[in-house]
Structure formats: structure tokens, C-alpha cells
């Protein structure tokens, strides 16, 4: 079992990095190599992406991974870097709310000090779980971490915008209602992917009584622009993994159709990458 005192120190350090106007910037990783590269680039913490991690393990994203498989990957990542790690655990890798506790304990055993828990309800009777049902899952996560003596950062993800739930003009109010319920249940921060327009982001910063996390993509405001709006955390989800896999496809198609190798230009030097992955081995 991972030393809980050391984990709590990491968790407190990670918690302190969430400051409105000075956002924690997280280039999401999905395996040991990407985590080492991200940390070497200067990231203050490493966040996993469930999409990238799922693809790396050969399955589609969307609650299709089992808890052991997912958190085995998180453990390998956490053991490979010295900075805090936060794990995207989708909806908690548990059907029943009470079983989220076992997931949280496994997260801590893996060495992570933060989690994203989403309210998307894959295979459910609605796109999102009811507010109270999701709040119960967050409360279970909070209680499980507290019982282990670790100030786990619970980042409650709200998928109203990402999944286009409800009428556009009602989406902000619905998101704020969910945010209030999740914070009351013990969440530490709120993550609203799918929205980057400054007016809405500023309204979310104003209306959410906790650190706001947004997900960025090409064309979104820059990190300084989000900072000026009061955002406390910026991540990119599966974006880096998608870009990496796009390079694989371009390089493969070029090689197989044109017989040339231009797509390989600009790659990391063999010795540099080999040395980076050899650290600690």
C-alpha cells in the first residue's frame, strides 16, 4: 500500500496549485512515456486522460475499461514521475455509488492524489446521472479518501456542454446547479469540458464556488486569456494522444503509399528518449 503520509503531502501540494488567475496547466498523458515527457517539459503535475489511456489499452473510451486495468496503468504512470498525478477515473469504475469507495482506495494505492469523476451516464436512461445520484458518488469518494487520511483533490466533471444536454439557453443554469450540488457533496473543483467561449467561461468562474477547470483545443483562448478570466486549471483531455496517433497514421500512409519518410521529421532523438525512459530503471 502506498505510504499515505507521503501521498497526503503530494495531495496538499497538488491542491495548492489550483489558483484562480494562475491556472494549473496539465498536458494530459496516457502512458509512462508520455508522462515522463510531460514532466520533463516542466509540468507541475501529470493528469491522465481516460480516452488516451483506453486507446493505449486497446478499447474505446466511455466506461469500457475495468477498474484494475485502468488503475494499473495509473500506477505505472505515478511510479514513473516525481510530480503529483491526478487520474481520470471516468464515472468511478463502479455501477453502485458505494463501490466508488473501492475505486478511490485503488487510486491511492496506485499513487495518484487527484481524480476526475464525470456525471456522464454511459448506457444509462439519460445522458447524465441525476444531480443527487452523482452527488452521492462524489460524497462516497470524498469519505473514502478522508478515511485514508489523504486530501484527494476531487474534480467533479460536468458534461452538460460536452454532451449538449438540454436547451442551449438553459445549459449554464443547469451546470451551475450541478456544480453547487457536487461542491456541497465534497468536490474540490469543477471541470466543465466542451465550453471555451470567454463569456460563458467567465460566467462559470463567477457562478462556481470553487476552482474551475476547462478543457482547451486548437482555436480556444490561450492560457493567459483563460487566466485573465479566472480559470484555475486547464487541461487538454485526449488532445495530445489524438495528435500523436494522427502522426502515426500520416507516417504509415506516407510510407505505404508514397514510399517516403517526411512525416518522421522532427521526432525526438533516439538517445534523448531512451535516456528519459531509462531514468530510475
Amino acid at each position: 500500500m502506498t505510504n499515505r503520509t507521503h501521498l497526503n503531502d503530494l495531495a496538499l501540494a497538488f491542491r495548492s496549485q489550483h489558483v484562480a488567475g494562475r491556472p494549473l496547466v496539465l498536458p494530459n498523458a496516457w502512458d509512462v512515456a508520455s508522462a515522463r515527457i510531460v514532466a520533463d517539459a516542466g509540468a507541475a503535475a501529470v493528469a491522465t486522460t481516460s480516452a488516451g489511456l483506453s486507446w493505449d489499452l486497446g478499447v474505446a473510451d466511455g466506461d469500457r475499461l475495468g477498474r484494475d486495468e485502468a488503475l494499473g496503468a495509473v500506477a505505472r504512470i505515478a511510479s514513473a514521475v516525481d510530480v503529483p498525478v491526478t487520474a481520470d477515473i471516468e464515472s468511478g469504475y463502479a455501477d453502485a455509488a458505494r463501490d466508488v469507495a473501492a475505486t478511490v482506495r485503488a487510486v491511492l494505492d496506485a499513487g495518484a492524489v487527484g481524480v476526475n469523476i464525470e456525471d456522464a451516464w454511459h448506457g444509462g436512461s439519460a445522458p447524465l446521472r441525476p444531480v443527487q445520484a452523482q452527488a452521492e458518488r462524489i460524497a462516497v469518494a470524498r469519505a473514502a479518501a478522508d478515511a485514508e487520511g489523504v486530501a484527494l483533490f476531487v474534480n467533479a466533471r460536468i458534461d452538460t456542454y460536452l454532451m449538449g444536454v438540454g436547451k442551449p439557453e438553459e445549459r449554464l443554469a443547469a451546470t451551475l446547479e450541478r456544480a453547487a450540488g457536487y461542491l456541497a457533496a465534497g468536490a474540490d473543483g469543477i471541470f466543465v469540458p466542451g465550453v471555451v467561449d470567454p463569456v460563458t467561461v467567465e460566467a462559470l468562474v463567477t457562478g462556481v464556488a470553487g476552482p474551475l477547470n476547462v478543457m482547451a483545443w486548437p482555436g480556444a483562448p490561450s492560457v493567459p486569456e483563460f487566466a485573465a478570466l479566472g480559470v484555475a486549471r486547464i487541461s487538454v483531455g485526449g488532445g495530445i494522444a489524438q495528435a500523436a496517433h494522427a502522426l502515426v497514421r500520416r507516417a504509415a500512409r506516407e510510407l505505404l503509399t508514397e514510399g517516403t519518410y517526411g512525416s518522421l521529421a522532427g521526432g525526438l532523438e533516439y538517445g534523448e528518449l531512451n535516456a528519459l525512459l531509462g531514468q530510475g530503471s
Side-chain angles (χ1 to χ4, degrees):
M1 184 173 72
T2 307
N3 182 282
R4 296 305 198 237
T5 301
H6 173 64
L7 267 189
N8 191 51
D9 290 342
L10 276 178
L12 291 173
F14 181 62
R15 181 179 294 271
S16 73
Q17 294 167 355
H18 294 75
V19 180
R22 288 195 290 112
L24 172 63
V25 180
L26 297 170
N28 300 75
W30 62 94
D31 62 6
V32 168
S34 59
R36 281 268 176 92
I37 291 167
V38 163
D40 186 66
V46 170
T48 67
T49 157
S50 68
L53 196 150
S54 295
W55 299 331
D56 187 59
L57 295 174
V59 300
D61 189 28
D63 273 341
R64 291 175 173 85
L65 275 179
R67 177 194 293 150
D68 292 346
E69 191 176 21
L71 295 180
V74 171
R76 291 190 292 274
I77 289 170
S79 67
V81 297
D82 294 326
V83 296
V85 171
T86 182
D88 180 350
I89 60 170
E90 304 189 66
S91 61
Y93 301 126
D95 291 330
R98 64 179 179 276
D99 294 332
V100 174
T103 298
V104 167
R105 288 191 291 269
V107 164
L108 298 178
D109 287 341
V113 295
V115 291
N116 281 6
I117 302 179
E118 65 190 52
D119 56 9
W121 195 6
H122 300 285
S125 58
L128 306 182
R129 281 188 166 85
V131 177
Q132 285 306 117
Q134 183 65 7
E136 182 183 359
R137 298 170 78 82
I138 290 168
V140 168
R142 172 82 281 139
D146 290 350
E148 295 289 324
V150 179
L152 182 79
F153 192 96
V154 178
N155 202 32
R157 180 175 130 177
I158 301 174
D159 278 354
T160 44
Y161 285 93
L162 189 65
M163 301 186 71
V165 176
K167 296 178 181 179
E169 64 272 17
E170 297 174 354
R171 213 162 280 158
L172 176 61
T175 301
L176 293 176
E177 178 189 356
R178 284 179 174 270
Y182 301 165
L183 289 169
D188 299 291
I190 296 296
F191 179 25
V192 185
V195 57
V196 296
D197 72 274
V199 172
T200 305
V201 170
E202 189 170 30
L204 288 167
V205 168
T206 301
V208 171
L212 180 71
N213 178 186
V214 298
M215 183 173 73
W217 56 80
S222 65
V223 168
E225 289 170 327
F226 276 132
L229 296 171
V231 170
R233 174 166 161 174
I234 301 166
S235 50
V236 293
I240 296 176
Q242 289 169 258
H245 294 315
L247 173 59
V248 173
R249 183 166 68 178
R250 285 197 303 273
R253 286 180 173 175
E254 179 190 359
L255 179 60
L256 294 169
T257 60
E258 300 174 26
T260 54
Y261 325 101
S263 297
L264 303 181
L268 285 173
E269 292 292 333
Y270 172 87
E272 179 185 3
L273 188 56
N274 206 43
L276 186 62
L277 269 296
Q279 293 176 4
S281 62

